[in-house]
Amino acid sequence: MSGLDLAGKRYQPLFEYFLELSDVAFRVLSDEYVTDVSGTGVVHCAPAFGEDDYRVCLMAGIIDSNEDLPDPVDADGCFTEKVEDFKGLHVKDADKAIIAAVKTKGRLVSAGSISHSYPFCWRSESPLIYKAVPSWFVAVEKIKDNLLKNNKLTYWVPDFVKDKRFHNWLENARDWAVSRTRFWGTPLPIWRSSDGKEIVVIGSVKELEDLSGHKVTDLHRHKIDHITIPSRRGPEFGVLKRVEDVFDCWFESGSMPYAYIHYPFENTELFEHNFPGDFVAEGLDQTRGWFYTLMVLSTALFDKPAFKNLICNGLVLAADGKKMSKKLRNYPPPMDVVSKYGADALRLYLINSPVVRAESLRFKEEGVFAVVKDVFLPWYNAYRFLVQNAGRLVIEGHKPFTPLSHKDLQNSDNVLDHWINSASQSLVRFVHEEMEAYRLYTVVPYLLKFVDNLTNIYVRFNRKRLKGRTGDMDCRIALSTLFYVLLTTCKAMAPFTPFFTETLYQNIRKLLGPTAERSIHFCSFPPVEGESDERIERSVTRMMTVIDLARNIRERRNKALKIPLMEMVVVHPDEEFLDDISGKLGEYVKEELNVRGLITCNNPLKYATLRAEPDFSLLGKRLGKAMGVVAKEVKSMTQDDILNFEKSGEVVVSGHHLSAGDIKVIRDFKHPDGVNKEDIDAAGDGDVLVVLDLRQDDTLMDVGTAREIVNRVQKLRKKAGLEPTDSVEIFFRTLGSKNDGQKNNTLERIFKMQASYIQEAIGSPIFEMDMLPSDAVVLASEHFDGVANGSFQISIARPSICIVDDKLGNLCNGNFDLVEGVKVYLQSRDFGALKEELSMFNDKLRVSLDGVPEVEVTHGQHFFLSLGDLKRHT
């Protein structure tokens, strides 16, 4: 028998309570909320104790919304006098007594326990009772159409919360119960007569004073509950008293746009110029809370939304996906996270998470650490590199660093200067656009990529320039470029990382002069200055693709970067890119990949065969059943078809118009004739093809060994705790092999033939170990094995030697204040002339065994020697 068959039938109640309702109650009703999936499929309706119960009974005419409900339970959860047998007994303590009474009446069929979910108070952990209470309501249903209209006038991030969740909630909005039966809270300003026929809603303190004749100084209920208002109907009707309820706190929250400036009693002009508010931000749960009450009250009062823009965030959960709980302690203490990683790291972690897209976030401390590692450390290292090399200028006796003007920097002929300036402007433009659209979550990934480009492209590729190896002026141009880029980045990111950017700015601003703002947060947000150079940004992006592809080839073929290669070929149809990669960017590519030559090729068929593949993820939904036919034709496209498609960017296949994104062009490497497969390899990404010549000769092997030597020296410098700006001298000695103890002639040759490269790479002069003074301060020394089948020793010492020769003119020009113990080696072909020129040192001057004059000077002596002096004597 179905529920519909039972509907309308009457039954005899278990207990003889509320029999006055017998005419309408005690009959079977049917509704969809009752199912046979759980329980018995039969429920008992008590309209005062359930939303569905109330709705069903109201529809059936058992109760009236304007009359009191049949309610046998008082405010303490105990049965009232209506229930004589269990009067005063708490409903949760009455189960056994009720079962016993039913059994006594002979109506007990079965007794047992069924486990089911039940609501408990999260504070006291006591069971809750869902109970209807008399309330005061705002008639929301009357303004529902206006609510939906005003919702369309707002902009939400993410938009699906507005269009789905919030729209659906408004569409099904019911009258809002705004009263609560509590002591603390804002009192409802409603005075009512004892017979309920006269009601006054007070609109201001003055109105209450005028109607009651009492002075009002405090609006808390214990200060105004005693105030009465005489009835307008005459003394015989008594006085009006305030109802005992207080406001739902969400009513006060929804009143925020008006209450915070005491509108309409004050600041009318201020309110009218600033309403609706520009934006609000809160959690997803507020679609039924604050967002809703803001919209209801503003629509009821002004028929406007309370805000123009809204950012809705999701919920931050514990790592296990559960709600964060103080009791469970399933989350790290927030201040511990801040102390450990910094507030900025925590802020960026949250901004870059699903939580700012109204999705849930499982909070993980490792994620905050990843922000420090991937964003702040590289960013700080770029700043630190600037500071170190600016300080190096002073250490080396140059003029202190002062940033060049923007006008001077525009004349730089370095391509990466133009690129990083353009990239920083693109960053500023992107942040502007995304903040205008209130999309927080897009900024951090872009910043992450920018910082990565700044450190791993600009700083890494310009190390020589920044360290002064390419001349003083070029060094200052590079440092100035890095300075302005860091300053712009700090200003753009200050709202997101206020503490980190302030720390950097306090040091950077020293170079800006006395007019600089005292804090980065006093600075204006950087404007977008001019257009970005899309061509150079695109070319550098492709350059990095080329480098990554070449690295992949090396890794696949077990060719370490320290091993130099003869040649690489870059294949691409874009002539502009090929011009950039072979010209302005060529030296960077060759140095980074350790290749001697770079060749470009705009003929894609010389080194590759082309094939086309449809993008199933894009075309599948669009083409449906036609996908199979289209896919077959796309795969059968000829080389010419593919070339024409790449040129035009579109093609018609089986009557369907396909554009560039619908078809993937894949370049399969084609081995050139006459070259062994072992000697050449290639890699591509569908856009660029890179071909590497893997053949080697003795010269390349020597260069590779020199790079290994440099690597060992740099590691020893780091092991000795040296800063990049620390001035040291390097001494080497080749050692016998472990097998036969014979001296390694290959290493000996490489140290001499590659001396200039090694010296330039490490930034310090390098000498044979025999020249190490006996009183030199050695900072570190180590033996290295396994390089070019030999061994060598490297020692790092404090400066004790000054070499002066024609090749190192930059060391010759200027005054030298020589300290005691420093030896000056003057290399020239005319030692006699040098002896005569330096006659002031006759008592000290002597010729060493290798024919090099050696001058020992005592502390405080001073002399001047110029490169011109040397040339005049040679």
Side-chain angles (χ1 to χ4, degrees), residues 7 15 78 99 127 202 210 310 331 393 395 445-446 477 549 638 711:
F15 297 96
C78 299
I99 292 171
I202 300 299
D210 291 344
L310 184 149
Y331 60 90
L393 292 175
I395 293 173
Y446 198 98
I477 291 173
L549 291 171
T638 65
N711 178 264

Side-chain angles (χ1 to χ4, degrees), residues 486-663:
L486 284 171
L487 180 60
T488 300
T489 305
C490 285
K491 287 181 179 179
M493 295 309 301
F496 305 93
T497 57
F499 301 111
F500 181 79
T501 51
E502 178 71 1
T503 300
L504 301 192
Y505 179 78
Q506 286 306 317
N507 197 22
I508 288 176
R509 79 182 184 98
K510 296 174 184 176
L511 297 171
L512 295 174
T515 59
E517 297 286 0
R518 289 187 296 115
S519 168
I520 196 166
H521 303 297
F522 295 166
C523 300
S524 299
F525 193 86
V528 179
E529 298 175 341
E531 294 293 323
S532 299
D533 190 334
E534 293 184 5
R535 172 184 170 180
I536 194 59
E537 288 192 45
R538 187 169 58 250
S539 290
V540 171
T541 300
R542 284 173 171 168
M543 176 189 75
M544 294 310 299
T545 301
V546 166
I547 290 172
D548 289 339
L549 291 171
R551 285 172 177 164
N552 291 340
I553 298 172
R554 280 181 170 274
E555 187 175 343
R556 186 169 66 237
R557 298 297 295 269
N558 198 26
K559 298 286 186 181
L561 271 174
K562 63 187 177 184
I563 300 174
L565 298 178
M566 184 65 71
E567 188 176 83
M568 72 178 292
V569 181
V570 178
V571 184
H572 197 275
D574 187 345
E575 287 285 359
E576 284 188 347
F577 166 63
L578 294 181
D579 289 343
D580 289 340
I581 203 74
S582 62
K584 301 174 182 177
L585 299 171
E587 289 304 314
Y588 292 115
V589 175
K590 289 190 288 186
E591 182 174 355
E592 184 65 19
L593 293 173
N594 196 15
V595 294
R596 290 296 183 88
L598 191 157
I599 298 174
T600 59
C601 174
N602 66 350
N603 180 7
L605 300 181
K606 184 174 181 180
Y607 291 95
T609 56
L610 308 182
R611 57 188 175 90
E613 289 281 351
D615 191 325
F616 287 92
S617 62
L618 289 177
L619 295 176
K621 293 180 180 179
R622 199 168 88 205
L623 301 181
K625 294 181 179 179
M627 184 67 213
V629 177
V630 172
K632 185 176 180 180
E633 287 203 30
V634 168
K635 291 180 179 180
S636 64
M637 289 174 68
T638 65
Q639 304 282 297
D640 289 338
D641 291 339
I642 296 173
L643 289 174
N644 290 333
F645 167 71
E646 286 194 313
K647 188 174 182 180
S648 65
E650 58 183 6
V651 67
V652 177
V653 179
S654 295
H656 297 277
H657 183 271
L658 305 182
S659 58
D662 299 327
I663 298 177

Side-chain angles (χ1 to χ4, degrees), residues 397-573:
H398 300 286
K399 187 175 70 172
F401 171 69
T402 302
L404 302 174
S405 68
H406 288 285
K407 184 177 180 180
D408 291 335
L409 293 181
Q410 289 175 356
N411 298 324
S412 171
D413 57 3
N414 184 276
V415 63
L416 289 188
D417 288 349
H418 294 293
W419 166 75
I420 197 63
N421 284 326
S422 176
S424 65
Q425 287 304 305
S426 294
L427 171 69
V428 172
R429 181 179 293 103
F430 182 81
V431 174
H432 266 286
E433 292 172 353
E434 295 308 287
M435 290 302 95
E436 286 287 339
Y438 293 88
R439 289 188 290 263
L440 293 171
Y441 50 87
T442 60
V443 172
V444 177
Y446 198 98
L447 172 67
L448 196 70
K449 184 62 179 175
F450 177 80
V451 171
D452 181 65
N453 287 341
L454 177 63
T455 55
N456 289 325
I457 298 180
Y458 187 77
V459 173
R460 178 183 172 87
F461 288 13
N462 280 298
R463 283 172 299 187
K464 290 182 180 179
R465 295 178 67 216
L466 293 164
K467 291 181 177 181
R469 309 270 179 82
T470 57
D472 183 68
M473 191 60 195
D474 195 38
C475 171
R476 292 178 186 274
I477 291 173
L479 288 174
S480 298
T481 300
L482 181 57
F483 170 83
Y484 286 118
V485 168
L486 284 171
L487 180 60
T488 300
T489 305
C490 285
K491 287 181 179 179
M493 295 309 301
F496 305 93
T497 57
F499 301 111
F500 181 79
T501 51
E502 178 71 1
T503 300
L504 301 192
Y505 179 78
Q506 286 306 317
N507 197 22
I508 288 176
R509 79 182 184 98
K510 296 174 184 176
L511 297 171
L512 295 174
T515 59
E517 297 286 0
R518 289 187 296 115
S519 168
I520 196 166
H521 303 297
F522 295 166
C523 300
S524 299
F525 193 86
V528 179
E529 298 175 341
E531 294 293 323
S532 299
D533 190 334
E534 293 184 5
R535 172 184 170 180
I536 194 59
E537 288 192 45
R538 187 169 58 250
S539 290
V540 171
T541 300
R542 284 173 171 168
M543 176 189 75
M544 294 310 299
T545 301
V546 166
I547 290 172
D548 289 339
L549 291 171
R551 285 172 177 164
N552 291 340
I553 298 172
R554 280 181 170 274
E555 187 175 343
R556 186 169 66 237
R557 298 297 295 269
N558 198 26
K559 298 286 186 181
L561 271 174
K562 63 187 177 184
I563 300 174
L565 298 178
M566 184 65 71
E567 188 176 83
M568 72 178 292
V569 181
V570 178
V571 184
H572 197 275

Side-chain angles (χ1 to χ4, degrees), residues 54-258:
Y54 178 87
R55 175 180 57 82
V56 171
C57 291
L58 186 64
M59 290 173 60
I62 296 172
I63 59 173
D64 189 319
S65 61
N66 295 317
E67 296 179 359
D68 291 338
L69 298 176
D71 182 2
V73 179
D74 64 19
D76 294 323
C78 299
F79 287 116
T80 64
E81 295 178 353
K82 284 278 188 181
V83 185
E84 297 175 356
D85 299 315
F86 312 106
K87 176 186 173 184
L89 194 63
H90 192 276
V91 294
K92 288 300 176 183
D93 298 329
D95 291 348
K96 291 182 180 180
I98 293 173
I99 292 171
V102 173
K103 186 175 181 181
T104 300
K105 292 175 181 287
R107 296 178 178 179
L108 183 64
V109 176
S110 175
S113 298
I114 297 176
S115 297
H116 63 93
S117 61
Y118 193 87
F120 280 76
C121 174
W122 65 274
R123 291 182 183 273
S124 64
E125 297 186 351
S126 57
L128 298 173
I129 300 172
Y130 195 91
K131 185 176 185 292
V133 294
S135 297
W136 292 86
F137 288 82
V138 172
V140 174
E141 294 178 34
K142 292 182 180 179
I143 60 171
K144 185 187 298 184
D145 291 341
N146 288 351
L147 288 172
L148 293 169
K149 177 198 70 176
N150 288 332
N151 184 42
K152 292 179 180 178
L153 302 177
T154 60
Y155 173 81
W156 291 48
V157 175
D159 56 5
F160 73 84
V161 180
K162 166 193 168 184
D163 297 333
K164 303 286 186 181
R165 187 182 180 107
F166 194 62
H167 174 84
N168 294 341
W169 181 251
L170 293 179
E171 204 165 41
N172 296 289
R174 299 176 186 174
D175 291 344
W176 172 21
V178 294
S179 61
R180 296 292 183 269
T181 53
R182 296 170 186 156
F183 180 82
W184 294 112
T186 300
L188 280 178
I190 301 174
W191 269 253
R192 182 173 58 173
S193 62
S194 58
D195 60 7
K197 293 183 178 180
E198 188 175 355
I199 297 175
V200 175
V201 180
I202 300 299
S204 67
V205 170
K206 185 177 184 304
E207 183 181 1
L208 178 58
E209 290 178 339
D210 291 344
L211 292 176
S212 66
H214 285 76
K215 181 68 177 174
V216 179
T217 58
D218 191 329
L219 291 177
H220 287 93
R221 61 175 296 181
H222 60 288
K223 296 290 186 179
I224 65 171
D225 278 359
H226 67 282
I227 297 176
T228 60
I229 298 175
S231 174
R232 293 176 181 172
R233 295 176 292 174
E236 66 273 19
F237 291 97
V239 294
L240 282 66
K241 295 183 178 180
R242 196 191 74 81
V243 299
E244 292 187 351
D245 295 333
V246 297
F247 268 118
D248 170 13
C249 65
W250 287 112
F251 189 95
E252 298 171 275
S253 299
S255 304
M256 177 277 297
Y258 335 106

